[in-house]
Amino acid sequence: MSPGDEHETSGGYGGTGQTRTRLPQSGTDIYGGARRGGRSSSRSLVTVVGVVVLLIAAIAFANRGDGTSSSNDSTTSSGSKPDASSTTASGTKPVQTKIGGIPSGFARTQQGAQSAAANYSVSLGSTGMFQKDIRHSLVNSLYTSSAAAKLTGPMDQAYSADFLGKLGLDANGNAPTGSTFVSRVIPVGTTVQQYSDNDAKVAVWYVGLIGMSGQASTDPVTTSWKTWTFDLQWSDGDWKIVTDSQKDGPAPVPGDDTAATSDEISKAIDEYGGFTYAR
């Protein structure tokens, strides 16, 4: 099959039995000729990152000492299912300030909890998490003090030099010269599963980008769809994370978009910054 042909596989979404993927047109080179199969090394790396986050969340959950948290809980404190309109934009600015580039000072409301969870997912899904000093700053800023103290060590072990090397990064989390490491979380929607004045449980549905953009890269940037659930606590005048967990999906059917070249991806990453999210 030549680039540009439609690739059909069994087990498609909705019982169709096939999924179509449009590869780059002839003459283009997806990051040095790397082709992604269903079990590519980059796909494995995405899984590894997810496992690391789940491991860390499990440690935090165990240390909390209660069994009330569950990412599958889809009801509000009143026992009803979340309203689909709960993520409708209100036009209210989520925060007025930032500390170290991280939005802070969220309202002590359901909207404020949703805004906090969406923004925290963006920060924790950024390339900064792969650099020790930035990671420590993010964890200390976004988690409760007790949760941060318990997470710092395990996170440092998880983001080991060996793990970073598998992503194509050096021991300090830097990409090779001429390459751009991409790690982004783009929230699609949020929902409040539980809420009180002191605690909130918010799920963030997002699409993630991860991979190395560069002519020598064998692991092009790919997308993944996940749901990130945060148990938040009102602490020191803001919402802080007590524990968090992730699960796959829901993922839409892939479209027929032509894959971009490494130069196009690198340029887009440089030119398009992130957002401060409301609801």
Side-chain angles (χ1 to χ4, degrees):
M1 179 179 295
S2 62
D5 291 342
E6 293 179 348
H7 178 62
E8 298 182 355
T9 58
S10 61
Y13 180 80
T16 62
Q18 50 182 252
T19 300
R20 300 188 302 167
T21 302
R22 187 178 298 280
L23 299 174
Q25 300 298 319
S26 298
T28 60
D29 185 12
I30 180 165
Y31 305 11
R35 287 281 299 274
R36 288 196 172 274
R39 301 182 67 83
S40 69
S41 59
S42 182
R43 179 73 65 182
S44 298
L45 290 177
V46 173
T47 302
V48 170
V49 173
V51 170
V52 169
V53 175
L54 288 174
L55 172 63
I56 294 168
I59 293 172
F61 179 83
N63 287 333
R64 191 173 66 165
D66 66 50
T68 61
S69 177
S70 171
S71 60
N72 294 322
D73 186 346
S74 60
T75 59
T76 63
S77 57
S78 63
S80 60
K81 291 184 178 180
D83 190 342
S85 64
S86 63
T87 55
T88 300
S90 66
T92 302
K93 189 173 182 179
V95 292
Q96 301 295 325
T97 60
K98 288 187 177 182
I99 299 178
I102 304 172
S104 61
F106 294 95
R108 197 173 186 176
T109 62
Q110 290 196 35
Q111 177 180 334
Q114 289 179 83
S115 297
N119 280 284
Y120 294 170
S121 69
V122 172
S123 296
L124 294 173
S126 69
T127 56
M129 287 296 291
F130 298 84
Q131 299 179 333
K132 186 175 181 179
D133 291 343
I134 299 177
R135 179 171 65 250
H136 286 184
S137 177
L138 287 170
V139 171
N140 289 330
S141 298
L142 304 184
Y143 287 81
T144 63
S145 56
S146 59
K150 296 172 183 176
L151 285 174
T152 301
M155 277 193 171
D156 287 345
Q157 293 178 4
Y159 288 92
S160 64
D162 180 63
F163 171 69
L164 295 176
K166 292 178 180 178
L167 291 169
L169 304 171
D170 65 19
N172 295 316
N174 299 312
T177 302
S179 296
T180 301
F181 178 61
V182 180
S183 179
R184 283 197 184 186
V185 163
I186 304 98
V188 176
T190 61
T191 187
V192 176
Q193 297 181 346
Q194 295 176 6
Y195 181 80
S196 71
D197 285 343
N198 295 315
D199 301 279
K201 187 183 187 73
V202 180
V204 180
W205 179 35
Y206 74 89
V207 58
L209 305 177
I210 190 167
M212 187 73 72
S213 177
Q215 292 298 328
S217 173
T218 58
D219 294 299
V221 179
T222 58
T223 60
S224 62
W225 290 83
K226 295 182 181 293
T227 300
W228 204 336
T229 302
F230 295 90
D231 285 297
L232 303 173
Q233 182 181 94
W234 187 259
S235 177
D236 297 327
D238 210 345
W239 291 108
K240 301 291 183 179
I241 306 170
V242 177
T243 187
D244 55 303
S245 62
Q246 292 198 54
K247 64 180 181 180
D248 293 336
V253 177
D256 288 338
D257 301 305
T258 300
T261 64
S262 61
D263 288 342
E264 290 173 325
I265 291 293
S266 296
K267 183 179 179 181
I269 292 298
D270 290 338
E271 292 183 349
Y272 295 91
F275 292 101
T276 296
Y277 287 87
R279 291 192 291 127

